[in-house]
């Protein structure tokens, strides 16, 4: 249905004269008459009876007027909402985060939601590699990933992270960490769960010239830290995990150039929504 014809119909019905309706619609009276005739042919009903006192709705016109008003109201509501979506006031965002973003991502979401409550935000835990694949495929809008990102994605540096040795709080810190780690059984993250972190740790071991053994594998950082707290064995984790570490665990930063890396936000398509979320993420990174 042509909304222009419906608008002509309801305007004539409200003003009850073709002349006044033509003036309001900024058209000529003959053009408006033609529009009403086109609409009547499409509907198969006469909508107005014209006389000396203007235009009066026919019974058919009386029945159809509420529907025409509803269609126009819905059209205007759609246009208003589309403008809100285009401006980034409404919409939805799918956000991914990895191990390094376990603290940063939820804080960024909380700050963003406090400012833009009409935007729906989903947050999903996955590796940096999976996030980059989902970003390129359009399944995510933003990811908190290990940098750098593959070609085709944009990135924003947020903060540096560092590998740390997790020990029970009552255990003394070894003086020569590299020598102490060599051959020592450690709790480690399952490689498939964190391929980027695993590669980072292996790179550091190569730089330090040590070869720790695997005591036990865990599927997430919380379990690793809980095992360390319980005395099962030490583990190597991101220093940012100190915010989720139990009180019975201390984190000791590890030496070496391979111990540090950048984490940041990545995206494929820049929109008003992603812009606003990136601003929130950058603000959180600066203040935490």
């Amino acid at each position: 249905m042509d909304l222009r014809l419906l608008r002509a119909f309801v305007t004539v019905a409200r003003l009850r004269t073709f002349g006044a309706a033509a003036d309001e619609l900024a058209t000529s009276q003959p053009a408006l008459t033609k529009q009403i005739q086109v609409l009547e042919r499409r509907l198969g009903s006469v909508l107005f009876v014209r006389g000396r006192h203007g235009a009066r709705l026919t019974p058919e016109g009386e029945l159809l007027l509420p529907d025409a008003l509803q269609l126009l109201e819905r059209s205007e509501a759609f246009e208003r909402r589309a403008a809100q979506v285009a401006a980034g006031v409404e919409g939805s965002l799918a956000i991914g985060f990895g191990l390094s973003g376990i603290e940063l991502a939820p804080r960024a979401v909380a700050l963003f939601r406090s400012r833009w409550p009409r935007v729906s935000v989903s947050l999903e835990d996955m590796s940096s590699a999976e996030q980059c694949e989902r970003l390129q495929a359009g399944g995510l809008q933003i990811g908190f990933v290990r940098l750098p990102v593959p070609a085709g994605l944009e990135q924003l540096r947020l903060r540096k992270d560092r590998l740390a040795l997790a020990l029970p709080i009552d255990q003394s810190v070894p003086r020569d960490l590299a020598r102490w780690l060599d051959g020592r059984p450690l709790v480690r993250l399952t490689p498939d769960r964190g391929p980027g972190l695993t590669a980072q740790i292996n790179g550091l071991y190569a730089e330090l010239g040590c070869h720790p053994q695997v005591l036990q594998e865990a599927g997430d950082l919380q379990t690793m830290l809980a095992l360390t707290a319980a005395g099962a064995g030490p583990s190597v984790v991101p220093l940012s995990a100190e915010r989720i570490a139990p009180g019975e665990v201390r984190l000791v930063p590890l030496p070496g150039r391979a111990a540090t890396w950048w984490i940041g936000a990545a995206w494929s398509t820049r929109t008003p929504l992603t812009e606003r979320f990136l601003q929130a993420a950058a603000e959180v990174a600066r203040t935490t």
Side-chain angles (χ1 to χ4, degrees):
M1 180 59 66
D2 188 337
L3 295 176
R4 182 174 56 96
L5 301 182
L6 290 181
R7 194 165 286 109
F9 170 39
V10 300
T11 303
V12 174
R14 174 167 53 84
L15 298 177
R16 298 186 180 183
T17 68
F18 275 72
D23 290 341
E24 182 171 306
L25 295 170
T27 188
S28 66
Q29 189 168 331
L32 178 60
T33 299
K34 188 173 183 179
Q35 290 174 15
I36 295 298
Q37 290 172 344
V38 169
L39 180 61
E40 289 177 331
R41 285 196 299 270
R42 290 187 181 180
L43 299 177
S45 299
V46 176
L47 300 174
F48 294 100
V49 175
R50 299 176 70 171
R52 289 186 305 165
H53 301 292
R56 177 173 54 84
L57 283 168
T58 63
E60 293 83 359
E62 293 278 4
L63 288 172
L64 293 173
L65 180 60
D67 298 288
L69 288 167
Q70 185 180 49
L71 283 170
L72 287 175
E73 287 172 1
R74 291 181 63 183
S75 171
E76 291 167 0
F78 173 80
E79 290 179 357
R80 287 194 299 271
R81 188 168 191 192
Q84 296 290 301
V85 170
V89 177
E90 287 192 43
S92 62
L93 281 175
I95 309 295
F97 73 100
L99 297 172
S100 295
I102 196 168
E103 182 267 340
L104 182 60
R107 287 177 179 268
V109 169
L111 178 60
F112 177 82
R113 289 293 305 274
S114 71
R115 293 174 176 173
W116 308 102
R118 293 165 64 185
V119 178
S120 172
V121 181
S122 65
L123 189 61
E124 188 174 353
D125 182 5
M126 64 188 79
S127 69
S128 291
E130 186 178 354
Q131 287 183 71
C132 290
E133 291 177 3
R134 295 271 294 272
L135 286 167
Q136 291 172 323
L140 288 179
Q141 280 73 59
I142 293 178
F144 286 84
V145 300
R146 177 185 300 270
L147 302 181
V149 297
L153 296 179
E154 296 185 68
Q155 67 181 45
L156 172 67
R157 283 184 174 185
L158 293 175
R159 67 162 59 143
K160 273 189 173 180
D161 208 344
R162 187 179 195 94
L163 292 176
L165 178 65
L167 295 168
I169 193 70
D170 57 357
Q171 183 173 338
S172 60
V173 179
R175 292 183 179 180
D176 188 342
L177 286 172
R179 186 173 180 180
W180 186 84
L181 284 169
D182 193 29
R184 186 169 298 276
L186 300 179
V187 177
R188 77 168 186 180
L189 186 70
T190 305
D192 290 345
R193 175 62 184 83
L197 181 61
T198 299
Q200 191 83 38
I201 293 172
N202 290 339
L204 178 61
Y205 290 163
E207 180 183 337
L208 298 179
C210 60
H211 302 83
Q213 302 300 309
V214 179
L215 172 67
Q216 184 172 342
E217 290 187 345
D220 56 70
L221 288 178
Q222 290 94 333
T223 302
M224 292 175 64
L225 293 166
L227 287 168
T228 296
S235 55
V236 175
V237 299
L239 187 59
S240 58
E242 63 186 352
R243 292 178 174 84
I244 62 169
E248 300 83 5
V249 171
R250 73 167 72 182
L251 297 187
V252 182
L254 287 168
R257 294 181 60 185
T260 61
W261 70 97
W262 277 98
I263 59 173
W267 65 96
S268 173
T269 304
R270 189 180 289 267
T271 68
L273 273 183
T274 58
E275 287 283 355
R276 287 182 173 142
F277 189 88
L278 290 170
Q279 290 172 6
E283 185 173 332
V284 167
R286 287 193 302 267
T287 57
T288 58

